Amino acid sequence: MPHGFSTVLVVNCGSSSIKYSMMAMDRGHLCASGLVEKIGENGSLLRHRADNAKGEPVESRREIKAGDHRAAFAHIAALLRNTGILADGAGPDAIGHRVVHGGEAFSAPVRIDPDVIAAIRTLSPLAPLHNPANLIGIEACLDAFPSASQVAVFDTAFHQTLPPHAYRYAVPNDWYERHGIRRYGFHGTSHRYVAERAAEYLGRSLQGLKMITLHLGNGASAAAIRHGRCIDTSMGFTPLEGLVMGTRSGDLDAAVPLYLETALGESADSLQAMLNREAGLKGLCGSNDLREVLGREQAGDEHARLALEIYCYRIRKYVGAYFAALGGLDALVFTAGVGENSPVVRSRICAGLEALGIAVDPEFNERSPEPVNEIGRRGQAVRVLAVRTNEELQIARETLSVLTS
Ligand code: ADP
């Protein structure tokens, strides 16, 4: 590549896990990916996937000794070198880190330096489960791959264009000014990626489109995008707000946890854990896996039926709200596990939205997933698409754009 960055390692670090993807940017594709789990425990596990000489994907899985993230990266580096993906003794040219919270400090990806590390650390109280783990990954990579340029790509950055009337809550000013209480939004990398893919498919510039993107995975969020800028999004101060998710409640009267705290003596920590891990589809019907919920509904489970109705109704309400926020709509885009793969959920979400020019075509909707599937009824005002997200590729591209600008 003319600028000398052809291999990018994309890293997503959790407190006891590392997800990685090795991208060859000159060929525009993924050469290997994998996951280390149970870091710091006995029997850490390294799962790795790469194509063999015939271009067929081959998966390997083995126990490793990884007392910390540094040790885990040493195993990843050794594996990438042993399999010829990296040259002997070499590292990737660049590393792109997914960092969950950029607060108001970061509205774009940045090259990592000591000031950036300090700023990510300062933001840790806003994302106590994520930013500290992301920092561990950054520091371990500085050690394991000292010659690679490193970039932080923030989940919140795409939503920094929200206007104050969308990001402020109606609470005392002081809460915002002193404590940063506002809507930040998450999943930004995915919303941006699918919005750009959708515009490309439609043969239009993103600048000329009004779009709603629905990222429906285990976590779920909606974004309203006008002229390429995000103007509203459903996740808020934390990823808890908005749509019904696998295990998160989504929108909830703030008085509910306060009531449970005083009436039942539940601690703030336990309520926080319950709302994030035991609520959503799981709380309503016992499973957070949408395929399983659909199966249970088919078998006549009333809890599963109602859970799906609440799930789809909440999304439909957001589509209506964002239609109003945008002042019209050109495209509705579904993505992530559910959005890409579930025709039945897509059609239930769109049912009743014909008045807004939104309707799913039953035949197109059932087609097997492609990178982009147009599933809307032809001739409607709004184009409806299912677009396969690729956060790793987006992070790799943003990493290169920072390093080459
Ligand atoms: P994550 O947020 O963990 O990355 P994914 O984007 O992989 O999650 O989405 C996971 C969700 O997608 C699960 O609820 C899973 O059941 C759902 N899903 C995946 N494939 C299908 C399918 N064919 N039909 C319905 N739901 C699906």
Side-chain angles (χ1 to χ4, degrees):
M1 285 199 116
H3 44 64
F5 295 106
S6 62
T7 51
V8 181
L9 180 67
V10 175
V11 172
N12 182 355
C13 233
S15 57
S16 64
S17 69
I18 299 169
K19 275 190 199 152
Y20 62 92
S21 303
M22 188 72 197
M23 319 286 269
M25 300 309 284
D26 43 356
R27 281 167 282 150
H29 80 208
L30 177 72
C31 357
S33 62
L35 171 67
V36 184
E37 291 170 294
K38 299 189 182 176
I39 297 171
E41 293 175 36
N42 276 336
S44 311
L45 206 61
L46 170 54
R47 282 190 277 162
H48 181 79
R49 189 186 159 101
D51 288 353
N52 65 14
K54 291 186 211 146
E56 298 151 343
V58 179
E59 279 198 22
S60 66
R61 192 186 155 95
R62 64 191 168 94
E63 267 197 23
I64 55 168
K65 231 175 138 198
D68 59 17
H69 287 68
R70 244 175 214 100
F73 273 113
H75 283 285
I76 295 169
L79 185 56
L80 292 172
R81 286 169 189 146
N82 292 342
T83 49
I85 292 166
L86 283 176
D88 235 7
D93 299 321
I95 301 176
H97 291 270
R98 175 184 182 224
V99 178
V100 165
H101 219 305
E104 291 186 335
F106 298 106
S107 55
V110 281
R111 189 192 276 263
I112 293 171
D113 63 19
D115 289 345
V116 168
I117 290 178
I120 295 172
R121 186 161 288 124
T122 307
L123 292 164
S124 285
L126 293 178
L129 297 179
H130 295 106
N131 276 28
N134 301 151
L135 279 172
I136 290 172
I138 290 170
E139 283 168 344
C141 276
L142 286 169
D143 246 33
F145 305 109
S147 63
S149 306
Q150 299 203 50
V151 170
V153 179
F154 299 91
D155 245 28
T156 47
F158 183 55
H159 306 301
Q160 275 297 301
T161 49
L162 259 61
H165 64 255
Y167 72 67
R168 287 291 299 274
Y169 294 115
V171 293
N173 257 325
D174 199 41
W175 292 18
Y176 168 63
E177 283 160 9
R178 292 186 49 195
H179 305 291
I181 304 295
R182 54 159 284 175
R183 170 171 291 121
Y184 291 100
F186 300 87
H187 289 149
T189 306
S190 176
H191 287 292
R192 185 197 296 268
Y193 178 82
V194 297
E196 284 172 1
R197 290 290 73 69
E200 210 172 86
Y201 171 86
L202 296 171
R204 304 264 304 270
S205 151
L206 194 52
Q207 311 306 319
L209 289 168
K210 292 174 181 170
M211 201 183 280
I212 297 173
T213 49
L214 298 171
H215 177 107
L216 309 177
N218 202 12
S221 65
I225 301 164
R226 184 166 57 209
H227 309 151
R229 293 163 70 84
C230 186
I231 62 152
D232 208 344
T233 192
S234 59
M235 282 180 166
F237 177 65
T238 75
L240 185 59
E241 195 180 348
L243 308 182
V244 175
M245 310 182 209
T247 61
R248 295 191 191 114
S249 63
D251 292 337
L252 181 78
D253 183 339
V256 171
L258 300 176
Y259 169 80
L260 292 174
E261 201 170 0
T262 40
L264 304 183
E266 288 285 352
S267 72
D269 278 353
S270 108
L271 289 164
Q272 163 107 330
M274 285 176 78
L275 289 172
N276 277 288
R277 290 194 232 122
E278 304 295 330
L281 292 173
K282 185 176 178 193
L284 285 166
C285 73
S287 171
N288 64 306
D289 186 308
L290 200 115
R291 270 171 298 197
E292 201 178 313
V293 181
L294 286 166
R296 290 189 190 185
E297 181 197 45
Q298 280 237 309
D301 180 335
E302 178 56 21
H303 291 299
R305 189 201 62 74
L306 182 60
L308 285 165
E309 202 171 326
I310 297 171
Y311 178 89
C312 295
Y313 175 68
R314 181 83 52 89
I315 298 169
R316 200 180 313 129
K317 271 209 299 193
Y318 267 91
V319 171
Y322 287 175
F323 187 101
L326 289 163
L329 188 65
D330 297 303
L332 175 65
V333 179
F334 287 91
T335 193
V338 179
E340 291 166 27
N341 298 302
S342 180
V344 59
V345 170
R346 292 189 302 235
S347 84
R348 286 186 199 178
I349 290 167
C350 293
L353 293 178
E354 291 82 0
L356 301 183
I358 299 171
V360 154
D361 179 286
E363 195 191 318
F364 297 142
N365 189 30
E366 290 290 342
R367 281 186 184 160
S368 54
E370 292 284 331
V372 180
N373 261 5
E374 179 155 12
I375 59 171
R377 194 186 300 153
R378 303 303 188 257
Q380 295 288 305
V382 178
R383 308 279 291 267
V384 186
L385 309 174
V387 178
R388 195 180 298 156
T389 193
N390 193 339
E391 289 163 279
E392 290 75 21
L393 180 58
Q394 181 68 19
I395 290 173
R397 285 180 178 161
E398 292 189 25
T399 297
L400 281 196
S401 79
V402 169
L403 296 176
T404 56
S405 64

